[in-house]
């Protein structure tokens, strides 16, 4: 029996929704057709965040609880009304990416399994000059929602003080995003430099709540991820649904809503009515393009005071002026003997919490899992077996690391036992979740390909 299809008339075009009854959100029961219908109900507002921008397709072909993969290249089999533009990446490679401008194109990419929308911060007619500065407020584990809201308000004040208008939205996950529209005059490195200045200034004003520190072992509170402004990085756009159990939505807010908002209030069920009643709080964003001049002056002041560049993501080529890409606990050099130890691996594993690297931090590994929720469940089981140890941990002591697999991410959880008395620290035990992303793969061949790719970049 052939799979059922639904044909929709959208913006004067026919859009086919394949397997419309396929359940995408098992806990709520929402189907693929429900997802398409949601996006069409808020299309005008959703398009404000993606229209005219190249987009990486983040595809959940088996729904929110299944694996996802990023598809940078537009599918070769596509309607002739799907626009594309060629992007170049830090690796030196290029790809034709989809550009969405109307509701029909939006419905078409959602049918591919795109639960959330991930546009680049540039327009297709000028790929070298971003028109958005993106402030991503990312809490370390254990930080509550009220503190994230407080840091968002400090971010608002910093942007205003340096001549930009901030536009807040929930991330739809654990944090808040604040966007500032820009005149298209600056390059990606300049926008990232300005974003780092914002992060450092927010940290200066709220040192107990916020951090600009890249390394997880140095973070506390809410991390302002300045590297989201590096070229080739994308962020879930406004009105994107997210792959959460409750089908949560990344929702624009008025600033007077931020202090009292609750992220779980905005879902695929509630947001259409909100937009219909209140309109889109980000409706004026395109008319509010501002200048980076004052933030770049602040960046220059930071540099004159001895604050250089901050670390870039590991897949980027080493940048001029960038500090060493090594964790602070491993930076000391010139000692007669090597410091620290290589933590032992879990039983049955070849590598431990730091691979082959030494560390002075007392690290153990808890889980390697295919999905983050599965990894977190493993952590909770471990905590239940070690309640005294769990009570001594600080939020920054639990490190949840998205790791790169063959084509998708997997998740590792490590625990730093620095706040646990030495004689009470549990040993490295068998992993609570033991997922092997490399099973059945020629790992050495993959590593050779990676080395060649890095040489090209």
């Amino acid at each position: 029996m052939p799979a059922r299809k639904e044909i929709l008339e959208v913006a004067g075009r026919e859009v086919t929704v394949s397997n419309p009854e396929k359940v995408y959100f098992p806990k709520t029961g929402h189907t693929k057709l429900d997802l398409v219908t949601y996006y069409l109900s808020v299309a005008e507002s959703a398009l404000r965040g993606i229209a005219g921008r190249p987009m990486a397709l983040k595809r959940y072909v088996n729904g929110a609880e299944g694996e996802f993969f990023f598809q940078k290249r537009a599918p070769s089999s596509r309607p002739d009304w799907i626009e594309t533009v060629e992007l170049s990446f830090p690796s030196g490679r290029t790809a034709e990416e989809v550009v969405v401008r109307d509701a029909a194109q939006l419905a078409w990419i959602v049918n591919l399994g795109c639960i959330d929308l991930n546009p680049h911060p540039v327009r297709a007619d000028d790929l070298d000059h971003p028109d958005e500065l993106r402030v991503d407020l990312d809490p370390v584990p254990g930080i509550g929602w009220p503190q994230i809201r407080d840091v968002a308000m400090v971010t608002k004040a910093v942007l205003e003080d340096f001549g930009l208008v901030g536009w807040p939205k929930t991330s739809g996950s654990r944090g808040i995003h604040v966007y500032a529209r820009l005149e298209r005059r600056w390059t990606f490195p300049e926008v990232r430099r300005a974003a780092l200045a914002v992060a450092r200034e927010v940290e200066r004003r709220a040192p107990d709540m916020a951090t600009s520190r890249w390394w997880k072992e140095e973070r506390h509170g809410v991390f302002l991820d300045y590297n989201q402004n590096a070229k080739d990085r994308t962020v879930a756009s406004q009105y994107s649904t997210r792959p959460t159990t409750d089908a949560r939505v990344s929702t624009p807010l008025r600033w007077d809503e931020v202090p009292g908002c609750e992220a779980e209030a905005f879902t695929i069920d509630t947001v259409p009515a909100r937009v219909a009643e209140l309109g889109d709080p980000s409706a004026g964003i395109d008319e509010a393009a501002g200048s980076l001049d004052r933030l770049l002056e602040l960046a220059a002041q930071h540099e004159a005071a001895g604050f250089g560049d901050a670390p870039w993501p590991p897949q980027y080529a080493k940048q001029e002026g960038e500090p060493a890409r090594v964790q602070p606990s491993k930076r000391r050099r010139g000692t007669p003997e090597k410091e620290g130890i290589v933590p032992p691996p879990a039983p049955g594993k070849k590598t431990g919490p730091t691979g082959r690297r030494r560390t002075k931090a007392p690290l153990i590994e808890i889980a390697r899992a295919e999905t983050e929720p599965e990894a977190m469940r493993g952590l909770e089981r471990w905590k239940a077996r070690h309640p005294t140890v769990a009570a001594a941990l600080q939020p920054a002591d639990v490190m949840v690391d998205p790791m790169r697999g063959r084509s998708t991410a997997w998740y590792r959880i490590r625990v730093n036992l620095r706040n646990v008395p030495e004689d009470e620290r549990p040993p490295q035990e068998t992993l609570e979740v033991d997922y092997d992303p490399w099973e059945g793969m020629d790992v050495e061949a993959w590593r050779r390909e990676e080395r060649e790719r890095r040489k090209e970049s």
Side-chain angles (χ1 to χ4, degrees), residues 259-323:
C261 75
E262 299 295 341
E264 62 270 20
F266 308 110
T267 70
I268 195 173
D269 290 321
T270 63
V271 167
R274 169 184 166 86
V275 173
E277 180 181 354
L278 302 177
D280 177 14
S282 71
I285 190 170
D286 288 323
E287 289 73 50
S291 170
L292 280 185
D293 286 341
R294 292 174 62 187
L295 274 177
L296 292 176
E297 289 174 2
L298 178 63
Q301 293 172 16
H302 289 164
E303 291 153 11
F307 293 94
D309 197 0
W312 287 64
Q315 67 269 34
Y316 288 76
K318 191 76 164 60
Q319 305 292 312
E320 183 178 355
E322 180 188 357

Side-chain angles (χ1 to χ4, degrees), residues 8 25 54 74 114 125 130 169 210 217 227 261 279 301 329 349 380 427:
L8 304 179
F25 295 90
C114 295
D125 61 344
K169 67 183 181 70
E217 64 186 52
N227 272 328
C261 75
Q301 293 172 16
S329 60
K349 310 307 294 183
E380 292 306 313

Side-chain angles (χ1 to χ4, degrees), residues 113-183:
C114 295
I115 290 178
D116 49 19
L117 312 176
N118 290 268
H120 293 269
V122 292
R123 307 281 181 166
D125 61 344
D126 184 354
L127 299 175
D128 296 321
H129 299 94
D131 70 341
E132 283 182 345
L133 184 149
R134 297 171 172 180
V135 182
D136 180 6
L137 305 182
D138 184 13
V140 305
I143 293 301
W145 183 249
Q147 184 165 328
I148 303 168
R149 296 183 306 208
D150 290 344
V151 174
M153 299 307 295
V154 178
T155 302
K156 171 183 184 289
V158 168
L159 291 173
E160 288 178 348
D161 288 348
F162 288 88
L164 294 175
V165 179
W167 301 82
K169 67 183 181 70
T170 63
S171 72
S173 181
R174 300 186 304 128
I176 287 177
H177 298 155
V178 183
Y179 285 6
R181 192 65 93 235
L182 304 176
E183 299 165 359

Side-chain angles (χ1 to χ4, degrees), residues 41-364:
S41 73
V42 296
E44 180 180 357
S45 300
L47 286 168
R48 188 168 286 114
I50 64 173
R53 302 181 184 279
M55 181 182 301
L57 304 179
K58 186 178 180 183
R59 298 180 62 181
Y60 291 82
V61 295
N62 292 311
E65 295 187 1
E67 288 190 19
F68 70 86
F69 62 94
F70 275 104
Q71 181 174 339
K72 292 185 176 180
R73 289 170 174 79
S76 56
S77 177
R78 60 180 185 266
D80 59 9
W81 41 266
I82 294 297
E83 181 182 343
T84 64
V85 68
E86 184 177 78
L87 271 72
S88 61
F89 303 110
S91 66
R93 299 179 181 180
T94 61
E96 293 282 335
E97 288 202 1
V98 169
V99 178
V100 171
R101 296 187 188 275
D102 64 27
Q105 295 165 334
L106 172 59
W108 184 81
I109 65 168
V110 175
N111 178 62
L112 295 178
C114 295
I115 290 178
D116 49 19
L117 312 176
N118 290 268
H120 293 269
V122 292
R123 307 281 181 166
D125 61 344
D126 184 354
L127 299 175
D128 296 321
H129 299 94
D131 70 341
E132 283 182 345
L133 184 149
R134 297 171 172 180
V135 182
D136 180 6
L137 305 182
D138 184 13
V140 305
I143 293 301
W145 183 249
Q147 184 165 328
I148 303 168
R149 296 183 306 208
D150 290 344
V151 174
M153 299 307 295
V154 178
T155 302
K156 171 183 184 289
V158 168
L159 291 173
E160 288 178 348
D161 288 348
F162 288 88
L164 294 175
V165 179
W167 301 82
K169 67 183 181 70
T170 63
S171 72
S173 181
R174 300 186 304 128
I176 287 177
H177 298 155
V178 183
Y179 285 6
R181 192 65 93 235
L182 304 176
E183 299 165 359
R184 294 195 282 179
R185 296 165 44 201
W186 294 275
T187 63
F188 276 97
E190 289 171 318
V191 175
R192 178 189 172 277
R193 182 169 170 245
L196 177 57
V198 170
R200 286 172 169 166
E201 179 63 11
V202 172
E203 181 179 32
R204 186 188 70 80
R205 297 187 186 190
D208 294 333
M209 294 194 300
T211 181
S212 64
R213 305 284 181 164
W214 173 254
W215 297 106
K216 289 186 177 181
E217 64 186 52
E218 292 188 312
R219 292 182 193 172
H220 68 276
V222 178
F223 170 52
L224 288 90
D225 190 354
Y226 56 88
N227 272 328
Q228 293 291 18
N229 294 275
K231 187 175 183 180
D232 196 28
R233 298 297 286 263
T234 60
V235 178
S237 65
Q238 62 183 51
Y239 296 103
S240 285
T241 50
R242 304 305 305 276
T244 57
T245 57
D246 56 355
R248 203 167 292 186
V249 171
S250 179
T251 306
L253 304 168
R254 300 188 311 269
W255 277 114
D256 62 0
E257 293 181 293
V258 171
C261 75
E262 299 295 341
E264 62 270 20
F266 308 110
T267 70
I268 195 173
D269 290 321
T270 63
V271 167
R274 169 184 166 86
V275 173
E277 180 181 354
L278 302 177
D280 177 14
S282 71
I285 190 170
D286 288 323
E287 289 73 50
S291 170
L292 280 185
D293 286 341
R294 292 174 62 187
L295 274 177
L296 292 176
E297 289 174 2
L298 178 63
Q301 293 172 16
H302 289 164
E303 291 153 11
F307 293 94
D309 197 0
W312 287 64
Q315 67 269 34
Y316 288 76
K318 191 76 164 60
Q319 305 292 312
E320 183 178 355
E322 180 188 357
R325 289 187 187 175
V326 59
Q327 295 178 29
S329 60
K330 305 184 183 68
R331 283 180 191 162
R332 294 180 64 183
R333 295 292 184 268
T335 53
E337 298 181 358
K338 292 183 177 180
E339 296 184 337
I341 63 168
V342 177
K349 310 307 294 183
K350 293 182 179 179
T351 59
T354 61
R356 298 181 179 89
R357 295 172 298 179
R358 290 174 173 266
T359 179
K360 293 195 296 182
L363 301 179
I364 59 174

